[in-house]
Amino acid sequence: MRMLEWIMGILGIPQYLFEGYCIQFFFGRFAEPKLCRLRNAQWIAGIVWILIRIVKGALFRETDSAALVLGLLFTTAVLFVFCVVWYEGNILLKIFLVIQFISLRELAFWAGYSFLYIGDSLIDILVYEAGDRMAVAGYLPAAAGVLACLSVALVETIEGILLFASIRKIAECYRCREKGKMGKEIVFYLLPAVAGILIDVLVSL
């Protein structure tokens, strides 16, 4: 069981790295770092996001509804503070970037999470069809663990594809906008994103 937990943790590393790339790609399309002359300054956003995910995982280990909601609030607040400190531009732009990214990330998470049903179904089939024979040989726990790892890898792959596709689409829609500025029209732009976050909170509860 401990080996399976280690494997699950290792599978999460590529996800953290890819989310870090996505956030620096998204933020970089709308704002410039205040220290833009610093070499590889655009990658700071990705590094900070990975650190946020690690700290969040350490602080909110439980899977109950309170921990999920508090984890979401922690992530949003820290990411917003980072945007205010690190990026140029008005406050409306930074609200837009944080809310949009969190919303898209949570949407990709729940969409990918729904595919865990496939892995659970395969494990049920394995237990039903070959459970007795494999249990006698001692292979059943290992086979179930392999299927569980494959299902997690599938979920994380789907999450990554959905996150990057949605971020790229939004970036293309706003490609003509001047960097560092966002007007009062942000209220209308953020309505779907805020609705998505509220739904995420309700699902978590």
Side-chain angles (χ1 to χ4, degrees):
M1 183 62 69
R2 183 172 295 274
M3 179 61 69
L4 182 60
E5 292 176 357
W6 275 99
I7 294 174
M8 294 293 189
I10 293 173
L11 289 174
I13 294 176
Q15 182 187 28
Y16 284 18
L17 294 175
F18 187 72
E19 287 180 357
Y21 169 77
C22 287
I23 197 170
Q24 69 85 19
F25 173 86
F26 183 57
F27 285 11
R29 292 298 183 275
F30 292 90
E32 293 286 347
K34 293 179 180 179
L35 301 177
C36 57
R37 295 183 180 180
L38 184 66
R39 186 178 181 181
N40 298 324
Q42 69 275 12
W43 290 102
I44 297 297
I47 296 172
V48 169
W49 174 254
I50 294 172
L51 292 176
I52 290 174
R53 289 294 307 274
I54 293 174
V55 173
K56 174 192 170 185
L59 292 177
F60 306 98
R61 294 179 177 273
E62 303 297 328
T63 57
D64 58 87
S65 58
L68 293 175
V69 173
L70 288 175
L72 179 63
L73 292 174
F74 170 82
T75 302
T76 304
V78 175
L79 188 60
F80 178 72
V81 171
F82 166 74
C83 281
V84 171
V85 173
W86 185 247
Y87 284 103
E88 296 179 347
N90 59 17
I91 197 70
L92 293 177
L93 173 67
K94 294 164 185 178
I95 293 173
F96 170 81
L97 292 176
V98 172
I99 298 299
Q100 280 287 1
F101 181 80
I102 294 296
S103 175
L104 293 174
R105 194 265 164 190
E106 293 300 312
L107 175 63
F109 169 78
W110 287 111
Y113 189 80
S114 63
F115 280 85
L116 277 178
Y117 173 78
I118 297 175
D120 293 339
S121 298
L122 291 175
I123 293 174
D124 291 339
I125 293 172
L126 176 68
V127 173
Y128 180 77
E129 296 292 338
D132 293 336
R133 288 174 293 171
M134 296 186 72
V136 172
Y139 296 143
L140 184 59
V146 170
L147 285 176
C149 292
L150 290 176
S151 63
V152 170
L154 173 65
V155 167
E156 293 180 353
T157 301
I158 293 172
E159 287 179 21
I161 292 173
L162 292 174
L163 179 61
F164 183 73
S166 55
I167 281 176
R168 186 173 181 179
K169 185 65 176 178
I170 290 179
E172 289 176 355
C173 292
Y174 294 96
R175 64 179 180 272
C176 297
R177 179 174 294 277
E178 182 181 355
K179 279 190 174 184
K181 291 185 178 181
M182 186 69 71
K184 295 181 180 179
E185 67 275 12
I186 186 178
V187 175
F188 301 100
Y189 296 157
L190 286 181
L191 283 177
V194 172
I197 293 177
L198 290 176
I199 292 173
D200 175 50
V201 172
L202 290 175
V203 171
S204 299
L205 294 175

